[in-house]
Amino acid sequence: MKRRVLILTAASLLLVLLVGQLNHYLALWQMHVWCGGLFVAFVALRLGYRTGAASVFAAGLLLDAGVPAAFGTQGFLFLAAHAVIFTVRARAPRDETIIGVMVALFANLGLFLALCFLRMDSTMDPAQSWMRAFADLLISQIVLALIAPWFFAVQTRLLEANGTSLRATTRTSRFAL
């Protein structure tokens, strides 16, 4: 379990760095991309509960380290999203990439709106703040849909290179390691 969590945390760190670089270039146009649903979807769909929970919490803490908010906010939101997706995953063909992308899009939408409600400042104009948030959400969803298959493949290859068979993992009991 520890090895899988470290591998998935390394993949999450790669995504954090790439999205951070993209946000650096998009800052010229005052736009921001957030792909939180992408950290949760693959892990919640394809791995055991404990491994997934540890991995998404670590990814949330990686993201929390770079934002001016209470440390652990994104970590606990990722845990909640992981629990929801893990609970309903038996009803979906979770080995399909398109299902993973759709789950990532819905998770990103829910997590983005939750963060907006938690971070919205009462001194700001609500109409302007929400228009900005929805513009960022639209850009984030487009970017997420484009990079999700690549990130799922990276996670799959990293796990397979270290001896984890995802086919065997997805067929185990509900709360397996």
Side-chain angles (χ1 to χ4, degrees):
M1 178 179 132
K2 291 179 186 177
R3 180 180 289 177
R4 284 180 270 173
V5 171
L6 288 174
I7 291 166
L8 293 169
T9 303
S12 297
L13 181 60
L14 173 67
L15 184 62
V16 167
L17 293 173
L18 291 174
V19 170
Q21 193 64 33
L22 177 63
N23 284 330
H24 175 74
Y25 291 117
L26 290 176
L28 180 64
W29 294 289
Q30 297 179 356
M31 296 179 351
H32 182 263
V33 171
W34 189 78
C35 295
L38 198 51
F39 293 97
V40 178
F42 177 84
V43 175
L45 287 173
R46 305 285 301 274
L47 295 174
Y49 186 79
R50 288 185 212 133
T51 302
S55 175
V56 299
F57 189 68
L61 294 179
L62 280 173
L63 288 174
D64 278 336
V67 295
F71 190 69
T73 302
Q74 293 181 68
F76 286 113
L77 284 175
F78 283 8
L79 277 176
H82 177 265
V84 169
I85 295 168
F86 189 86
T87 302
V88 299
R89 79 181 189 168
R91 297 181 179 98
R94 56 187 178 213
D95 294 340
E96 301 291 327
T97 302
I98 191 71
I99 299 300
V101 172
M102 295 304 293
V103 168
L105 286 169
F106 282 120
N108 199 58
L109 173 66
L111 290 167
F112 189 91
L113 292 176
L115 279 174
C116 283
F117 280 114
L118 289 173
R119 290 187 188 165
M120 218 34 97
D121 189 10
S122 62
T123 60
M124 297 170 53
D125 179 30
Q128 187 177 19
S129 299
W130 282 106
M131 288 302 291
R132 165 69 191 265
F134 286 128
D136 287 346
L137 176 63
L138 178 65
I139 296 294
S140 297
Q141 295 290 75
I142 292 168
V143 169
L144 187 140
L146 292 173
I147 66 171
W150 168 80
F151 189 62
F152 293 160
V154 166
Q155 289 176 313
T156 301
R157 298 298 178 253
L158 284 173
L159 288 170
E160 287 174 352
N162 287 290
T164 301
S165 173
L166 289 178
R167 195 55 77 176
T169 305
T170 59
R171 304 294 179 223
T172 58
S173 68
R174 184 176 170 138
F175 289 99
L177 296 174

